[in-house]
């Protein structure tokens, strides 16, 4: 089966990223867009485009019927869902197939099994995958909870089976809190997810979040593409990701990789997926869940393996065999990604959407920018405020860090506040450079006033912004040249 035309059921940077790979393969691309994205780069970059409705996602990017109809109308062969939106919806995977199209991703059964944390854990247990000690299956009553709590130590963590990304979690510090916590967790889970099932685990106090990329073809071949370290996050939103992890030995990498491959095999997984683990202080690892999509942070894996994950996904969807085996793969250098959000790190990371007055990307050897905007464009309020992903590749971690700091300084964005200065703060922190951090890094070390610069650099940026505002040209849509030259000499984003 050869794919000749792909519809990309997504927007922004990931839509563009998928289209680039498709084009390199000689495959035509179709963009879908909401009314808010009419003039977005992903629409112009595609060979064809279809408007699928008003700005709210529920009426456009999340509307399966409209997306599938757009694929029919354009005679597309396949749909790539990207991440977010419909990417992990088993009904969508099924409906795409039923419509006679190829879904570039796993099938509904694998998504369903991994979509429920409980069924994922139950399946993993059968195959002796290491799990955090906890309840076998759902907790349905207080007495169930008490029985489980007797066997594992406090503090405990109650998790919603239908939850994910930290939603529906509750720490229980002592026996006296158990009754109220269980009752609340079940009713919250019911109202948030329509499913009251919760389970209990021992609370791992200082974990690192490590995930393993896997890729599986439809002929039973599964390999892992090493790990990504994703411990630097803020309220379950990842901020900085890197590959490889600085604390994982080749032996541990091998063990976790094998384990991830087993998880993929036990759900007959096909396509690219990610197996998430917690790593405790003693380097014990525990399977948490599997993400059945291409992830935001996939580029760091591409940088260290030399693979193009989207091309691999497309080849797998065409029914081709993987062109490499585990032994063909090795890690080359070190890669770091920072997520550039239109958020104000000095004001509790409140989204700061609006117009990108100045937008100048960093360049140079080993620097990659995956973005979906251009200078003069407005970041819509309807979607995730991600402006771009800045990715670097160096020969080792130290070089990658200095390259990233340089790239952040070279990145000039005005008009909206961004998380760049915050990323710079993290990259310079000795807990980060020394590799001794866990998922509590931001909570432990960051206070908003740490970003107020001491010297003149920030004054220069402020002056430039004032100057920009004074000389601003009338707003006539896309402003390509404008006054931006006036602020380029200043280095911004420093802390
Ligand atoms: C945990 C944990 C500690 N102990 N489970 C958060 C999201 C979800 N995927 C699992 N999460 C956690 N599960 C046990 N038994 C701590 C977290 C956690 C976390 C995990 C990964 C990345 C960031 C995190 C931030 C806070 C808590």
């Amino acid at each position: 089966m050869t794919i000749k035309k792909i519809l990309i059921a997504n927007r922004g940077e990931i839509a563009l990223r998928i289209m680039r790979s498709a084009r390199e393969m000689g495959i035509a691309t179709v963009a879908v867009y909401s009314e808010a994205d009419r003039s977005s780069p992903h629409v112009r970059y595609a060979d064809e485009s279809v408007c699928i409705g008003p700005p709210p996602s529920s009426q456009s990017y999340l509307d399966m019927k409209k997306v599938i109809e757009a694929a029919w109308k354009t005679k597309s062969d396949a749909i790539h869902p990207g991440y977010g939106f419909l990417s992990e919806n088993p009904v969508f995977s099924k409906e795409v197939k039923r419509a006679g199209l190829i879904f570039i991703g796993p099938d509904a059964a694998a998504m369903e099994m991994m979509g429920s944390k409980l069924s994922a854990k139950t399946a993993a247990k059968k195959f002796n995958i290491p799990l955090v000690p906890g309840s076998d299956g759902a907790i349905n009553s207080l007495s169930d909870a008490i029985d489980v709590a007797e066997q594992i130590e406090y503090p405990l963590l109650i998790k919603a089976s239908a939850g994910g990304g930290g939603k529906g979690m509750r720490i229980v510090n002592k026996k006296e809190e158990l009754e109220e916590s269980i009752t609340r967790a079940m009713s919250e889970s019911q109202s948030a997810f329509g499913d009251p099932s919760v389970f209990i685990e021992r609370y791992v106090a200082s974990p690192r979040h490590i995930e393993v990329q896997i890729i599986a073809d439809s002929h039973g071949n599964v390999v892992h593409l090493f790990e990504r370290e994703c411990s630097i996050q803020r309220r379950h939103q990842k901020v900085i990701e890197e590959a490889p992890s600085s604390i994982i030995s080749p032996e541990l990498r091998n063990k976790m990789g094998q384990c991830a491959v087993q998880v993929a095999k036990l759900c007959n997984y096909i396509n690219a997926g990610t197996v998430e683990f917690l790593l405790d202080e003693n380097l014990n690892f525990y399977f948490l869940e599997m993400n059945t999509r291409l992830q935001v942070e996939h580029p760091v894996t591409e940088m260290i393996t030399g693979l193009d994950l989207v091309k691999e996904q497309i080849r797998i969807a065409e029914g081709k065999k993987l062109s490499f085996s585990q032994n063909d793969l090795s890690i080359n250098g070190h890669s770091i990604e920072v997520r550039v959000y239109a958020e104000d790190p000095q004001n509790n990371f409140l989204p700061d959407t609006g117009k990108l007055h100045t937008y100048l990307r960093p360049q140079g050897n080993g620097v990659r920018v995956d973005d979906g905007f251009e200078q003069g464009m407005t970041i819509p309020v309807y979607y995730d405020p991600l402006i771009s992903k800045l990715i670097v590749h160096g020969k080792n971690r130290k070089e990658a860090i200095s390259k990233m700091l340089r790239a952040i300084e070279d990145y000039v964005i005005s008009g909206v506040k961004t998380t760049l200065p915050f990323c710079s703060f993290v990259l310079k922190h000795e807990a980060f450079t020394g590799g001794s951090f866990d998922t509590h890094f931001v909570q432990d070390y960051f206070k908003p006033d740490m970003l107020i610069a001491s010297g003149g650099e920030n004054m220069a940026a402020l002056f430039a912004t004032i100057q920009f505002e004074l000389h601003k040209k009338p707003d006539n849509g896309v402003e390509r040249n404008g006054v931006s030259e006036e602020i380029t000499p200043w280095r911004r984003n420093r802390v």
Side-chain angles (χ1 to χ4, degrees):
M1 211 175 340
T2 20
I3 295 175
K4 293 194 201 72
K5 194 188 277 192
I6 297 176
L7 179 142
I8 295 89
N10 216 299
R11 62 183 297 282
E13 68 87 17
I14 194 62
L16 278 164
R17 189 260 164 276
I18 294 163
M19 289 177 197
R20 289 190 193 104
S21 292
R23 274 180 62 167
E24 287 174 27
M25 296 171 83
I27 298 172
T29 55
V30 178
V32 290
Y33 62 97
S34 76
E35 285 157 19
D37 285 336
R38 213 171 267 288
S39 56
S40 292
H42 86 272
V43 180
R44 267 179 289 129
Y45 193 79
D47 296 303
E48 292 168 76
S49 61
V50 182
C51 182
I52 51 166
S57 316
S58 58
Q59 295 170 57
S60 49
Y61 298 107
L62 284 173
D63 189 326
M64 299 185 210
K65 229 179 120 220
K66 285 186 188 160
V67 171
I68 291 171
E69 273 167 12
W72 268 340
K73 197 170 130 188
T74 53
K75 300 192 161 55
S76 300
D77 308 305
I79 296 182
H80 194 305
Y83 56 72
F85 296 124
L86 295 166
S87 62
E88 294 185 277
N89 187 326
V91 177
F92 185 59
S93 177
K94 219 180 295 182
E95 289 298 317
V96 169
K97 259 188 210 160
R98 222 163 59 96
L101 301 160
I102 296 171
F103 180 78
I104 304 175
D107 64 22
M111 277 188 199
E112 262 158 20
M113 183 188 276
M114 291 300 156
S116 151
K117 312 293 161 252
L118 264 176
S119 67
K121 283 190 76 167
T122 306
K125 190 169 177 133
K126 273 196 217 139
F127 288 79
N128 292 318
I129 307 289
L131 299 171
V132 185
S135 56
D136 271 334
I139 296 284
N140 293 308
S141 64
L142 179 63
S143 65
D144 273 7
I146 292 169
D147 286 349
V148 173
E150 296 279 283
Q151 287 156 47
I152 49 180
E153 291 156 51
Y154 283 88
L156 307 174
L157 192 61
I158 306 175
K159 296 183 178 182
S161 176
K167 283 189 215 108
M169 296 200 325
R170 216 167 239 280
I171 301 171
V172 189
N173 288 303
K174 47 183 189 290
K175 207 174 171 180
E176 294 71 43
E177 295 171 7
L178 188 62
E179 178 169 2
E180 191 184 331
S181 295
I182 282 287
T183 315
R184 287 208 180 169
M186 285 172 67
S187 81
E188 270 173 21
S189 183
Q190 173 64 45
S191 56
F193 313 110
D195 173 4
S197 322
V198 297
F199 57 98
I200 295 181
E201 286 178 355
R202 195 182 73 217
Y203 178 61
V204 181
S206 305
R208 291 174 80 125
H209 174 128
I210 307 285
E211 56 187 34
V212 177
Q213 177 73 52
I214 64 95
I215 190 151
D217 68 19
S218 54
H219 305 272
N221 304 302
V222 189
V223 300
H224 70 85
L225 305 176
F226 315 108
E227 79 283 359
R228 294 186 286 259
E229 162 80 66
C230 304
S231 299
I232 307 292
Q233 52 80 46
R234 191 192 150 268
R235 303 204 180 160
H236 305 292
Q237 167 98 272
K238 290 166 190 160
V239 178
I240 297 183
E241 302 102 344
E242 60 181 313
S245 166
S246 55
I247 52 147
I248 294 192
S249 65
E251 294 72 37
L252 183 56
R253 173 168 301 124
N254 198 18
K255 266 200 218 161
M256 293 179 78
Q258 299 290 322
C259 204
V261 166
Q262 272 188 291
V263 172
K265 284 186 173 163
L266 70 84
C267 62
N268 299 314
Y269 199 88
I270 298 173
N271 218 287
T274 297
V275 182
E276 278 188 26
F277 296 98
L278 279 186
L279 194 65
D280 71 15
E281 291 123 308
N282 303 317
L283 301 182
N284 298 306
F285 66 91
Y286 310 99
F287 166 66
L288 270 187
E289 55 193 76
M290 181 170 188
N291 300 318
T292 57
R293 61 170 189 278
L294 183 72
Q295 292 200 214
V296 176
E297 60 271 25
H298 77 276
V300 294
T301 300
E302 297 186 320
M303 302 301 254
I304 62 154
T305 58
L307 292 169
D308 180 321
L309 286 179
V310 172
K311 285 186 186 170
E312 296 303 330
Q313 287 191 293
I314 295 170
R315 288 191 195 110
I316 288 166
E318 288 180 320
K320 296 204 171 89
K321 282 186 182 165
L322 288 178
S323 61
F324 47 83
S325 62
Q326 194 68 59
N327 289 333
D328 298 325
L329 297 164
S330 62
I331 297 176
N332 173 26
H334 198 95
S335 180
I336 304 177
E337 170 179 288
V338 305
R339 298 193 188 186
V340 187
Y341 284 101
E343 290 175 350
D344 182 359
Q346 295 198 58
N347 188 13
N348 204 26
F349 293 83
L350 233 61
D352 190 33
T353 53
K355 187 166 164 176
L356 287 171
H357 285 302
T358 317
Y359 183 74
L360 299 164
R361 299 170 183 93
Q363 298 182 321
N365 191 0
V367 177
R368 165 175 171 184
V369 183
D370 281 20
D371 63 16
F373 294 102
E374 282 162 1
Q375 185 160 291
M377 283 181 61
T378 296
I379 300 169
V381 296
Y382 303 98
Y383 318 107
D384 189 56
L386 184 77
I387 301 171
S388 76
K389 305 185 307 205
L390 173 55
I391 306 121
V392 298
H393 183 231
K395 63 179 187 296
N396 54 39
R397 188 167 190 264
K398 195 159 177 268
E399 190 186 73
I401 293 174
S402 45
K403 205 178 271 283
M404 183 61 90
L405 285 167
R406 188 274 292 172
I408 290 174
E409 286 184 7
D410 287 356
Y411 214 151
V412 185
I413 301 176
S414 82
V416 298
K417 302 232 173 55
T418 78
T419 47
L420 280 172
F422 170 69
C423 292
S424 203
F425 162 83
V426 176
L427 290 157
K428 286 177 179 172
H429 198 283
E430 63 181 23
F432 183 80
T433 56
S436 55
F437 54 86
D438 58 36
T439 56
H440 304 298
F441 178 95
V442 179
Q443 202 182 307
D444 289 350
Y445 301 119
F446 178 69
K447 280 198 234 41
D449 61 8
M450 287 169 171
L451 298 184
I452 297 170
S454 50
E457 293 140 6
N458 241 32
M459 287 307 289
L462 179 66
F463 179 66
T465 307
I466 292 167
Q467 206 177 25
F468 174 83
E469 291 298 327
L470 286 174
H471 296 276
K472 195 154 61 175
K473 293 198 174 136
D475 185 354
N476 54 0
V478 179
E479 218 175 286
R480 272 161 205 284
N481 301 309
V483 215
S484 64
E485 304 86 81
E486 289 168 26
I487 54 170
T488 53
W490 284 286
R491 298 236 147 163
R492 295 161 53 85
N493 312 315
R494 283 194 177 168
V495 290

